[in-house]
Amino acid sequence: MDNERPTRGYLTSVVRCYCPRCREGKLFKHGVSISLKKNMEMNPECPVCGQPTDIEVGFYYGTGYVSYLVAFGISIFTFILWWLTIGFSLSDNRFMYWVIFNGVLLIVMQPWLMRFARSLWISWFVRYDPQWEKTNPEDLERINKEQMNNW
């Protein structure tokens, strides 16, 4: 019997923070945590396929924009859901209740959003390789070991 590997799709691997190359190794050392240092600590390379996670100096700067866009999308979704279920009115505070609800939701989701943004960002630059066991990760000539994690 063959060694059965899990088959994860693109979206599942991004949401659950798996390596985009093999979709098996975890990108982060620890689970989602309130501690920022622990929450954002990434494996230097995929523990399964060896894909480097810090591709170049400042690689993850773009994740701030991704995180903002995802938070904006969540806000639009909660706004529409609130409008369809509860509604808005000028004569009471329902809009303010939505603002408070949405703000608390985004604060609670922030540790996951930061990780999701990194996972999504790296998935745009590292392609899935179904034959990852037979090929090495791409040669990354822009890695500077002295500057890694210097952000």
Side-chain angles (χ1 to χ4, degrees):
M1 185 166 136
D2 290 40
N3 184 6
E4 299 252 346
R5 287 190 278 166
T7 55
R8 288 183 186 90
Y10 173 75
L11 192 58
T12 303
S13 67
V14 169
V15 170
R16 301 209 44 223
C17 300
Y18 284 101
C19 170
R21 182 170 177 258
C22 67
R23 295 183 181 169
E24 291 184 30
K26 291 295 240 171
L27 291 173
F28 295 92
K29 289 184 179 182
H30 310 285
V32 177
S33 170
I34 292 176
S35 167
L36 266 181
K37 185 173 182 171
K38 229 176 137 178
N39 190 50
M40 298 309 292
E41 192 175 357
M42 295 182 76
N43 291 313
E45 58 187 33
C46 174
V48 177
C49 70
Q51 171 67 42
T53 58
D54 202 355
I55 295 176
E56 64 183 52
V57 177
F59 176 70
Y60 290 106
Y61 283 147
T63 61
Y65 299 108
V66 174
S67 183
Y68 290 140
L69 284 174
V70 172
F72 182 72
I74 291 170
S75 296
I76 296 290
F77 176 76
T78 61
F79 181 86
I80 292 171
L81 191 64
W82 191 279
W83 179 50
L84 293 174
T85 58
I86 297 172
F88 292 105
S89 172
L90 296 175
S91 61
D92 60 17
N93 291 327
R94 285 186 268 181
F95 180 75
M96 186 57 66
Y97 294 146
W98 170 77
V99 169
I100 293 168
F101 167 77
N102 192 61
V104 169
L105 178 68
L106 290 175
I107 288 170
V108 168
M109 289 184 71
Q110 190 59 35
W112 177 80
L113 278 174
M114 291 167 48
R115 292 167 68 108
F116 174 73
R118 281 193 175 201
S119 179
L120 185 61
W121 187 257
I122 195 170
S123 75
W124 292 340
F125 295 95
V126 177
R127 286 186 289 145
Y128 173 62
D129 182 6
Q131 303 296 321
W132 63 266
E133 292 169 318
K134 298 175 185 167
T135 59
N136 291 328
E138 290 181 29
D139 186 26
L140 305 169
E141 73 270 357
R142 296 169 77 180
I143 288 182
N144 183 346
K145 297 278 186 194
E146 293 81 34
Q147 295 295 319
M148 288 181 88
N149 291 320
N150 187 15
W151 32 268

